[in-house]
């Protein structure tokens, strides 16, 4: 489609400013532009059509199935947006005196109470702006703890399973730790023997997601956290995605000492494209003194990891979401997330092969390595063909321990009918790979952009238009 600048016609416009009724003044020459800015000039109807067309080129949860594993693209109820749009929340200044924003403080306090109950933790901070930022904050708590015991110099290693989200080793490394990988056993759980070998006096902690990124709940979790504690390390829970366990089991009860959770994955903030998000960090009592503080919650001179109190409106949405669902509803959402994933997996089974053929949590991974050998059609080709069927591709080539991986997370908000339709598409594509592999290798055939150079797109993205280009 044409850019808005290409649609521009000189002299056209739609400003409806009232006549100026105050005295005018000119800017000093050194502050004025030499030429007028290049802005699109369009009639209102054409602007409206332009943005409507743009909307049609984007795939969101509101346009169709979006099973992007680990990212949780669930439908976010409109009521949460309505609450976050209330003027009492949107029209406040971050430096407003604490006395004048008691309602906002009540939002933080109430959200804190509910989230701590879900986490099984004692205290938390809402400052971090996203999951990775929360991880950084959480691992720094671990570091502060070892420092406070005079034990930081020798505890230099953080253990991360090989199925971990990429942000985990990146976080540990940014916090100055050496990352030690621990392999998964053939059942997708942490290999206990291998864990034993890497634990020692140099262990600062372990970062773990449970259920892990292959969608499997580690049955040895109590044993794992006990062993880490025995070695003098702390346990960090990556709770970016709590959809399988909220209201059912609590990371605090699994033996974890701190956690981050992405409010923008589990608790009703639509995400993608860079935010805003919120990576609330919870911890047990003995770590609470190391938490960053916010001016609103804790007074003026607080140590912060982000300006002010974090992305407040994301917390409003999370609170609205939790309060709308209620205690039973939160549990039911988790149960349905798990049920939906298992239902979809069982409907696809018999065609594409699950990487681990056992009951999964809220997501599951397909292993297309055998299929690729037989047909020449890769996970990428299947993902690209799905676009033509009005579906967002699943997460591809992650987790790294499964080759030709497609990772599906249907989420709790899809109906049985929607899951049946999605399964039908997968079954159809499975067959198409044998019948017409070339068609799939050239897919998508009906999208605006088919196969961009992904390395170039990531390394040298062209994000702005210039009239001189
Ligand atoms: C998404 C995700 C993260 C990172 O969260 P961001 O908000 O994208 O920084 C970390 N861990 C897991 C398991 C995730 O799914």
């Amino acid at each position: 489609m044409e850019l808005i600048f290409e649609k521009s016609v000189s002299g056209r416009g739609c400003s409806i400013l009232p006549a100026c009724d105050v005295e005018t003044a000119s800017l000093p020459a050194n502050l004025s532009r030499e030429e007028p800015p290049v802005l699109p000039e369009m009639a209102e109807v054409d602007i409206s059509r332009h943005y409507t067309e743009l909307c049609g080129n984007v795939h969101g949860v509101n346009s169709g199935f979006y099973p992007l594993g680990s990212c949780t693209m669930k439908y976010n109820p409109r009521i949460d947006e309505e609450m976050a749009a209330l003027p009492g929340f949107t029209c406040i200044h971050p430096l407003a005196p604490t006395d004048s924003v008691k309602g906002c403080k009540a939002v933080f306090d109430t959200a804190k109470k509910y989230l701590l109950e879900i986490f099984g933790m004692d205290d938390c901070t809402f400052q971090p702006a996203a999951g990775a930022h929360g991880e950084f904050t959480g691992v720094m708590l671990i570091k502060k703890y070892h420092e406070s015991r005079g034990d930081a110099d020798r505890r230099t290693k953080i253990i991360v399973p090989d199925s971990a989200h990429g942000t985990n080793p990146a976080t540990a490394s940014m916090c100055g730790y050496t990352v030690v990988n621990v392999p998964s056993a053939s059942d997708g759980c942490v290999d206990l023997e291998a864990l034993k070998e890497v634990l020692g006096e140099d262990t600062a902690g372990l970062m773990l997601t449970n259920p892990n990124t292959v969608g499997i709940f580690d049955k040895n979790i109590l044993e794992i956290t006990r062993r880490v504690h025995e070695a003098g390390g702390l346990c960090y829970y990556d709770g970016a995605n709590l959809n399988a366990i909220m209201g059912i089991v609590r990371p605090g009860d699994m033996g974890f000492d701190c956690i981050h959770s992405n409010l923008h994955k589990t608790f009703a903030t639509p995400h993608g494209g860079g935010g805003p998000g919120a990576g609330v960090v919870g911890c047990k009592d003995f770590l609470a003194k190391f938490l960053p503080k916010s001016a609103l919650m804790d007074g003026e001179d607080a140590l912060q990891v982000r300006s002010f109190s974090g992305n407040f409106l994301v917390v409003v949405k999370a609170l609205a979401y939790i309060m709308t669902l209620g205690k039973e509803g939160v549990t039911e959402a988790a149960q349905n997330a798990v049920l939906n994933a298992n239902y979809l997996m069982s409907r696809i089974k018999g065609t594409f092969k699950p990487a681990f053929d056992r009951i999964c949590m809220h997501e599951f991974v397909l292993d297309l390595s055998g299929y690729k050998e037989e047909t020449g059609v890769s996970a990428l080709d299947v993902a690209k063909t799905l676009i033509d069927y009005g579906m967002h591709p699943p997460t591809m080539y992650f987790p790294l321990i499964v080759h030709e991986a497609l990772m599906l997370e249907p989420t709790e908000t899809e109906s049985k009918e929607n899951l049946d339709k999605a399964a039908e598409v997968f079954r159809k594509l499975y067959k198409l790979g044998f019948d017409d592999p070339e068609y799939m290798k050239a897919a998508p055939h009906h999208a605006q952009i088919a196969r961009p150079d992904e390395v170039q797109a990531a390394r040298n993205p062209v994000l702005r238009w210039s009239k001189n280009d």
Side-chain angles (χ1 to χ4, degrees), residues 102 104-114 126 297 319:
K102 287 190 176 143
C104 300
K105 182 159 185 323
V107 166
F108 276 126
D109 287 338
T110 317
K112 178 170 171 174
K113 188 173 101 193
Y114 294 149
F126 287 104
M297 304 281 274
L319 179 60

Side-chain angles (χ1 to χ4, degrees), residues 17-35:
L17 293 176
C20 181
D21 60 358
V22 293
E23 228 178 282
T24 58
S26 308
L27 280 176
N30 65 336
L31 295 179
S32 303
R33 290 173 175 275
E34 279 157 22
E35 308 169 26

Side-chain angles (χ1 to χ4, degrees), residues 114 118 246-247 267 318-334:
Y114 294 149
I118 292 170
M246 57 181 181
F267 301 102
L319 179 60
Y321 179 78
I322 294 172
M323 290 181 79
T324 314
L325 287 178
K327 194 171 174 157
E328 292 75 23
V330 165
T331 308
E332 201 182 320

Side-chain angles (χ1 to χ4, degrees), residues 389-401:
Y389 285 82
M391 226 187 257
H392 193 286
T395 299
M396 295 180 296
Y397 299 100
F398 177 80
L400 302 174
I401 54 173

